[in-house]
Amino acid sequence: MPSFTTTLQLVAIIFWDIGLALYNLVAPKYKPGCVVPLGQPGAGGVWPAYVKPKPGDSRGSCPALNALANHGILPHDGKAITFTELSRVIETTYNFAPSFCRLVPLFAADMLGKSYTKDTFDLAELDKHNGIEHDASLTRKDSYHVPDQSEPYVPYIEELLSYASGTAEDGSELLMPDDISRFAAKRRLEAPKENPNFSLEFIHKFFGSSNASTMVTIFGGRISDLEIMLLEERIPDGWESRILKRKGLTMQAFNNTVLKVERNTKKIMAAVAAHGDQVAADSEEHGKQG
């Protein structure tokens, strides 16, 4: 549980976020191509060179953070990162709201027993099991099977992306919130059968739906971008966040998607429990046909 001091800060951040959400309602949006601030890595779609991690480099289970290190936006070795630096970088790169960018690193610092303002961390430290990292991930095998969570599990990612049922205006494939729910339900049903130490508390279900929801918010569900980000942990050439709001993706806005994903995941699992494997088979087939 967060400390008392951290809890007070979290409450303040929530009110800050509400104010940012209200500002976004009236402020003009960024024009496409202008989301990343001038002078920052990625401005105009020009990202620093991608370099694969070297032996001894620190990586974790979050593709978006690994990509920042692979491009040198965070230290390439993934080590001695300040929490304040992380806040700044995820705001300028992905256009999350500053409130969101403060909340997540603050929670991570508290989870690790560190100071948000004074201490540093390595990316691998964020994979403290059942801290933020959890079982039934959509892109990783459970830590019971693979303690090192730095490597994406390609079969999961390919299956997830195969569920895409949406179509963009240009005809490209889109991953939709319901597609994520179908695969998340499948993972939550299958993982306990393979992992005798399986656990998934409410907060970790929420983390799972939150992480997955970035695919359809920040990345707009575009399969062509998600393939590169999830499989290579690389930011696509010319890419920018799909969030054009002036103050970025607030928690208020983000939670609309997160709650939809989580709610539909539970509905699918309940249907499977009531009607058996046919529901799961129908859900999987729908994703493949999407």
Side-chain angles (χ1 to χ4, degrees), residues 100 205-215 217 254-255 258 261:
F100 190 106
K205 292 177 182 178
F206 185 80
F207 284 153
S209 292
S210 297
N211 294 336
S213 292
T214 62
M215 301 181 203
T217 52
F254 188 51
N255 284 343
V258 175
V261 168

Side-chain angles (χ1 to χ4, degrees), residues 175-177 180 212-222 226 257 261:
L175 191 71
M176 308 299 288
I180 293 174
S213 292
T214 62
M215 301 181 203
V216 294
T217 52
I218 299 297
F219 285 87
R222 291 182 178 268
L226 289 172
T257 302
V261 168

Side-chain angles (χ1 to χ4, degrees), residues 53-211:
K54 300 178 176 63
D57 286 347
S58 183
R59 295 293 187 270
S61 59
C62 178
L65 296 187
N66 289 346
L68 293 174
N70 291 339
H71 285 275
I73 301 170
L74 288 176
H76 186 269
D77 64 3
K79 298 178 180 180
I81 301 167
T82 66
F83 293 97
T84 53
E85 177 185 18
L86 180 63
S87 292
R88 178 186 60 80
V89 165
I90 58 178
E91 179 181 351
T92 58
T93 302
Y94 298 119
N95 200 26
F96 279 106
S99 50
F100 190 106
C101 297
R102 179 65 180 266
L103 175 76
V104 176
L106 179 66
F107 182 92
D110 191 76
M111 174 188 76
L112 297 175
K114 295 188 176 186
S115 166
Y116 171 83
T117 56
K118 299 177 181 179
D119 291 332
T120 65
F121 68 97
D122 298 349
L123 288 178
E125 289 185 81
L126 298 180
D127 283 344
K128 177 182 178 182
H129 186 55
N130 282 341
I132 296 175
E133 183 274 334
H134 55 83
D135 289 333
S137 165
L138 306 190
T139 66
R140 262 66 176 171
K141 295 279 283 185
D142 286 357
S143 61
Y144 172 81
H145 301 289
V146 183
D148 180 359
Q149 291 283 291
S150 64
E151 291 292 329
Y153 187 63
V154 174
Y156 286 165
I157 295 171
E158 291 180 340
E159 184 175 0
L160 166 65
L161 299 182
S162 76
Y163 278 42
S165 64
T167 305
E169 292 181 0
D170 61 3
S172 59
E173 291 182 293
L174 294 179
L175 191 71
M176 308 299 288
D178 287 353
D179 304 329
I180 293 174
S181 294
R182 284 193 293 273
F183 190 62
K186 182 178 181 182
R187 287 287 298 121
R188 292 184 191 182
L189 289 166
E190 291 181 345
K193 300 175 184 178
E194 303 169 348
N195 178 1
N197 294 338
F198 179 84
S199 65
L200 197 66
E201 301 295 334
F202 170 79
I203 190 170
H204 301 119
K205 292 177 182 178
F206 185 80
F207 284 153
S209 292
S210 297
N211 294 336

